[in-house]
Amino acid sequence: MLSFVDNLLNIRKVLIQATPFVLGILLLNLSPFINTVVTTQLSPGALAFVGTVHLILFFAETFVNALSYAVQIYTARFDNTRSQNNILFSAFIITLTFNWLLWTIVLHFGQPLLSSIIFNIKLQPEHFAYFRLQTCTFFCNSLILLLRGYFAGK
């Protein structure tokens, strides 16, 4: 039977290992929370715009989620730290490349893309700035998800 002190030490270990995941989830949910707070102040057209931007980025997020799970699976398969770090580094390069490609598409084709999807709203420069800003937060979320996969697999 475990003593009270042993139980406290086990609880401490669990909390220490859970802390990065909790912080990562909080950071991942920060952007949607701020968007929800801001969109309550918007007109129905602007609200539709925000939803459209999130739907477009959801497709990219699916790729990053899959990459995060792959990092987790392959990190768990290797026992040595060097192989685990190589997996993380490779996934980091893929994420940088993917986000650079996404940023380039949004920067050069974001306005025509959104204009062809959204007909009923007169799009302003602020709309496109919002789209670019969401792409930047997507990059940060991608890094958080990669680290989550890495530490979950370790």
Side-chain angles (χ1 to χ4, degrees), residues 12-30 68-69 71-73 75-76 88 141 143-154:
R12 181 178 177 269
K13 286 179 188 176
V14 168
L15 290 175
I16 286 173
Q17 289 199 335
T19 300
F21 297 106
V22 171
L23 292 176
I25 290 169
L26 287 174
L27 288 173
L28 286 173
N29 288 317
L30 185 62
S68 171
Y69 288 119
V71 168
Q72 180 178 347
I73 290 167
T75 301
L88 179 64
N141 290 348
L143 295 179
I144 291 168
L145 285 170
L146 279 184
L147 291 173
R148 184 214 57 84
Y150 175 75
F151 285 111
K154 261 185 126 79

Side-chain angles (χ1 to χ4, degrees), residues 107-137:
L107 195 62
H108 294 292
F109 306 110
Q111 188 168 353
L113 173 69
L114 289 176
S115 298
S116 67
I117 295 173
I118 301 174
F119 314 121
N120 301 333
I121 304 170
K122 185 176 185 325
L123 295 175
Q124 305 293 326
E126 294 84 18
H127 290 102
F128 304 113
Y130 175 81
F131 193 25
R132 289 189 298 271
L133 179 65
Q134 286 303 308
T135 307
C136 291
T137 62

Side-chain angles (χ1 to χ4, degrees), residues 27-149:
L27 288 173
L28 286 173
N29 288 317
L30 185 62
S31 177
F33 173 74
I34 291 171
N35 284 333
T36 302
V37 170
V38 170
T39 54
T40 59
Q41 313 295 322
L42 298 177
S43 67
L47 185 59
F49 172 80
V50 169
T52 303
V53 167
H54 284 281
L55 185 61
I56 292 169
L57 291 178
F58 175 76
F59 296 117
E61 186 179 336
T62 303
F63 172 78
V64 173
N65 281 332
L67 186 62
S68 171
Y69 288 119
V71 168
Q72 180 178 347
I73 290 167
Y74 285 110
T75 301
R77 288 186 181 177
F78 293 111
D79 289 335
N80 63 18
T81 305
R82 184 173 182 190
S83 295
Q84 292 173 339
N85 291 341
N86 286 342
I87 297 285
L88 179 64
F89 181 74
S90 298
F92 181 71
I93 296 299
I94 292 169
T95 300
L96 280 178
T97 305
F98 181 73
N99 277 277
W100 176 79
L101 180 63
L102 181 66
W103 177 254
T104 303
I105 290 169
V106 166
L107 195 62
H108 294 292
F109 306 110
Q111 188 168 353
L113 173 69
L114 289 176
S115 298
S116 67
I117 295 173
I118 301 174
F119 314 121
N120 301 333
I121 304 170
K122 185 176 185 325
L123 295 175
Q124 305 293 326
E126 294 84 18
H127 290 102
F128 304 113
Y130 175 81
F131 193 25
R132 289 189 298 271
L133 179 65
Q134 286 303 308
T135 307
C136 291
T137 62
F138 176 77
F139 173 70
C140 295
N141 290 348
S142 300
L143 295 179
I144 291 168
L145 285 170
L146 279 184
L147 291 173
R148 184 214 57 84

